């Protein structure tokens, strides 16, 4: 797998599914900054339909709809329908993830810790999602809510140092020194 961080403002993301897993994926994508996620659902549960709002498409995507997408998550669909839709998605040259079917995935969603602009991810290449969740919980203890303010502080310092004309290696050195001085990477022991 190749780790990437994608800016959802530049991508058309979509979900195909009808139930709780589709809703969970929609809410996760929104937390990541994706606002216009299309939801293709031929029999959506009420909460999914309500959350999808104007982005609900009351059908599964056909070739024309797939051609407009960049990434598609497939969940909550019968196996034979998901497999056919995944094949059609690949034929449209769109990346696809069939939830809980590693062999059906061009990409895997990662376990994540978000603290403002800080994003820490964990992946097991789809082999052990439960392990990734457990590691994520450990990282949440190490990287608490205070990291949101730390990122903002370092961003402001970096901006000022760049305006002063400092080199990138010097800026990096200063950031590392500040982190060491403040012991920011001292994690509490797991319980």
């Amino acid at each position: 797998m190749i780790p990437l961080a994608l800016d959802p403002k530049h991508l058309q993301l979509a979900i195909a599914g009808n139930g709780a897993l589709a809703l969970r994926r929609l809410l996760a994508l929104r937390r990541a900054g994706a606002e216009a996620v299309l939801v293709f659902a031929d029999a959506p549960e009420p909460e999914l339909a309500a959350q999808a709002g104007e982005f609900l498409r009351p059908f599964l995507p056909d070739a024309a709809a797939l051609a407009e997408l960049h990434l598609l998550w497939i969940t909550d669909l019968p196996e034979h329908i998901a497999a056919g839709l995944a094949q059609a998605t690949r034929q449209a040259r769109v990346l696809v993830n069939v939830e809980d079917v590693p062999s059906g995935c061009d990409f895997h969603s990662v376990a994540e810790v978000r603290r403002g602009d800080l994003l820490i991810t964990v992946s097991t290449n789809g082999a052990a999602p439960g392990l990734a969740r457990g590691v994520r919980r450990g990282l949440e203890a190490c990287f608490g809510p205070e990291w949101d303010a730390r990122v903002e502080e370092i961003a402001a310092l970096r901006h000022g140092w760049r305006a002063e004309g400092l080199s990138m290696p010097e800026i990096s050195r200063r950031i590392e020194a500040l982190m060491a001085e403040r012991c920011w990477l001292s994690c509490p022991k797991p319980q």
Side-chain angles (χ1 to χ4, degrees):
M1 286 293 166
I2 301 169
L4 298 171
L6 302 172
D7 186 343
K9 292 184 296 228
H10 303 290
L11 301 168
Q12 181 58 69
L13 308 177
I15 300 164
N18 292 307
L21 293 176
L23 176 60
R24 185 180 73 188
R25 176 62 52 209
L26 174 62
L27 296 176
L29 290 170
R30 286 192 177 151
R31 281 191 304 273
E35 297 174 11
V37 178
L38 299 177
V39 177
F40 293 92
D42 57 352
E45 290 183 2
E47 179 66 15
L48 176 62
Q51 286 291 330
E54 67 182 288
F55 300 107
L56 178 65
R57 304 298 182 263
F59 50 85
L60 295 180
D62 58 12
L66 291 172
E68 301 294 320
L69 305 179
H70 294 107
L71 287 96
L72 176 67
W73 283 263
I74 300 173
T75 186
D76 292 327
L77 295 177
E79 187 176 322
H80 70 283
I81 292 173
L85 182 54
Q87 182 178 4
T89 303
R90 283 191 187 87
Q91 288 172 346
R93 302 184 60 83
V94 173
L95 296 174
V96 64
N97 175 291
V98 182
E99 187 136 357
D100 289 331
V101 183
S103 64
C105 297
D106 298 329
F107 66 94
H108 300 287
S109 297
V110 296
E112 62 186 51
V113 176
R114 288 184 182 274
R115 301 295 188 242
D117 286 333
L118 178 64
L119 173 62
I120 305 167
T121 64
V122 180
S123 174
T124 60
N125 200 24
L131 176 61
R133 278 190 298 277
V135 171
R136 183 203 71 221
R137 286 187 191 111
L139 289 169
E140 287 173 335
C142 291
F143 295 89
E146 68 278 3
W147 277 88
D148 189 1
R150 290 175 179 177
V151 172
E152 290 178 14
E153 178 184 359
I154 293 296
L157 287 169
R158 180 179 177 270
H159 180 76
W161 291 331
R162 287 188 69 164
E164 291 173 19
L166 294 178
S167 69
M168 290 309 295
E170 175 59 19
I171 291 171
S172 292
R173 188 198 65 72
R174 287 184 179 199
I175 291 170
E176 288 178 23
L178 180 78
M179 290 172 55
E181 175 185 308
R182 295 184 183 177
C183 300
W184 281 359
L185 292 180
S186 298
C187 294
K189 299 238 188 246
Q191 298 179 1

